[in-house]
Amino acid sequence: MAILETNNLRKQYILGAHAVDALAGVDFVVQKGEFVAIMGPSGSGKSTLLHLLGGLDKPSDGEVTLAGQALSMMDDNEVTLVRRHHIGFVFQFFNLLPTLNTEENIALPLIIDGKKLRDYNDRITALLELVGLSDRRYHKPDQLSGGEQQRVAIARALVTEPAMVLADEPTGNLDSKTGAVIMDLLRTSCDEMDQTVIVVTHDARAASYADRTVFLRDGCVVREIVCADIIDPHQRLSLIMEAVESLQI
Ligand SMILES: Nc1ncnc2c1ncn2[C@@H]1O[C@H](COP(=O)(O)OP(=O)(O)OP(=O)(O)O)[C@@H](O)[C@H]1O
Ligand SMILES: [Mg+2]
């Protein structure tokens, strides 16, 4: 079943006399439970696509359909609620609130939704265990390493048990070992919670965790590599590396 679909998705930014076609007609379908990576050169439209998929921004033309519902048919409030209840976001710069401790940062999407932290103790305990931060529950972000902060951000993205997780370069500021931990976490939540995961990345190694990698160039999808049936991680990586080299990303 398709959880997400775009039709002829376009985004044009106008700056003075200049128009930039950040997305120039993207048709993209993601199945429920699929793990998709998006790669492409800097400026190819990856973040723009992720923002449109998550209803953080509106297309200039075309449509995003989420679980059968066209985002353009909803008003801003409805889009906000869909986003809050069904989508978890992870950004490159963890976006944690400095005054909140780990459990409060994780619970933030629930608190924003008017829920009480104490009613979700068990869920937060389980998430802390999942991301390996049970002993950092009361630490503030500045008392955590970059990798730990990113794991908090992932737990926060999962706390509403969203159908879909959208991550923009979640390993961009981490060393390769910590990056692998983060990708493992996303892979696990996809496999065990039937979550749909879409990750923008510059890193072929990160993309090799995905079932499918979509390559963007100049706002268009130019290639797709399906890895779902390839078990050998080296083979997955070399297929993606080949595409990266041939597309000169
Ligand atoms: N708010 C904006 N106003 C004007 N132009 C923008 C805006 N946001 C993005 N762009 C332009 O749209 C194009 C696509 O940007 P986008 O951020 O989606 O690229 P990207 O693939 O995520 O790049 P990177 O890998 O560097 O993060 C770029 O040429 C960028 O300069
Ligand atoms: Mg980007």
Side-chain angles (χ1 to χ4, degrees):
M1 187 188 90
I3 188 169
L4 183 75
E5 208 169 333
T6 75
N7 293 298
N8 192 30
L9 197 65
R10 292 175 184 273
K11 180 71 178 178
Q12 190 174 57
Y13 292 109
I14 306 216
L15 281 181
H18 250 50
V20 175
D21 290 310
L23 292 178
V26 169
D27 295 300
F28 180 58
V29 181
V30 178
Q31 303 300 321
K32 184 165 166 36
E34 202 181 6
F35 191 139
V36 178
I38 300 173
M39 295 192 81
S42 181
S44 58
K46 304 181 296 295
S47 296
T48 303
L49 177 59
L50 209 67
H51 288 167
L52 295 182
L53 297 180
L56 291 171
D57 201 356
K58 289 181 180 159
S60 311
D61 200 3
E63 185 64 87
V64 175
T65 307
L66 191 63
Q69 286 184 291
L71 293 188
S72 69
M73 301 300 282
M74 300 180 199
D75 65 28
D76 288 353
N77 265 337
E78 290 170 317
V79 174
T80 301
L81 289 179
V82 165
R83 200 164 55 219
R84 198 180 280 168
H85 295 147
H86 302 294
I87 304 177
F89 290 95
V90 183
F91 297 101
Q92 181 175 5
F93 302 101
F94 326 123
N95 288 331
L96 303 179
L97 292 189
T99 56
L100 301 185
N101 67 27
T102 296
E103 67 164 10
E104 293 162 341
N105 264 299
I106 293 173
L108 194 61
L110 299 171
I111 294 166
I112 288 173
D113 207 27
K115 306 209 161 77
K116 296 211 165 53
L117 177 58
R118 64 169 180 271
D119 295 334
Y120 289 86
N121 240 319
D122 291 350
R123 192 184 291 182
I124 288 170
T125 301
L127 279 170
L128 283 165
E129 213 160 289
L130 175 76
V131 301
L133 291 177
S134 301
D135 53 355
R136 298 286 188 276
R137 188 168 189 139
Y138 303 107
H139 284 55
K140 298 276 174 66
D142 66 1
Q143 297 165 329
L144 298 171
S145 73
E148 289 169 341
Q149 290 183 49
Q150 191 59 303
R151 283 185 274 156
V152 175
I154 287 182
R156 182 185 54 187
L158 300 178
V159 76
T160 59
E161 300 180 334
M164 189 161 78
V165 175
L166 301 178
D168 198 349
E169 311 226 18
T171 63
N173 285 302
L174 305 175
D175 61 72
S176 62
K177 206 168 141 205
T178 316
V181 171
I182 299 299
M183 293 310 295
D184 264 331
L185 274 174
L186 289 170
R187 185 72 247 184
T188 303
S189 74
C190 174
D191 293 342
E192 291 180 5
M193 302 185 219
D194 199 25
Q195 235 148 15
T196 308
V197 178
I198 304 178
V199 175
V200 165
T201 183
H202 274 114
D203 178 9
R205 204 171 286 275
S208 71
Y209 286 77
D211 300 319
R212 179 161 61 103
T213 300
V214 173
F215 294 85
L216 286 185
R217 172 180 288 285
D218 298 330
C220 295
V221 174
V222 290
R223 184 123 170 224
E224 274 193 14
I225 304 265
V226 178
C227 289
D229 295 329
I230 302 172
I231 296 160
D232 178 13
H234 299 290
Q235 201 185 341
R236 294 167 85 113
L237 183 58
S238 68
L239 269 177
I240 294 163
M241 295 285 278
E242 252 172 56
V244 166
E245 275 160 35
S246 76
L247 294 166
Q248 297 180 330
I249 288 167

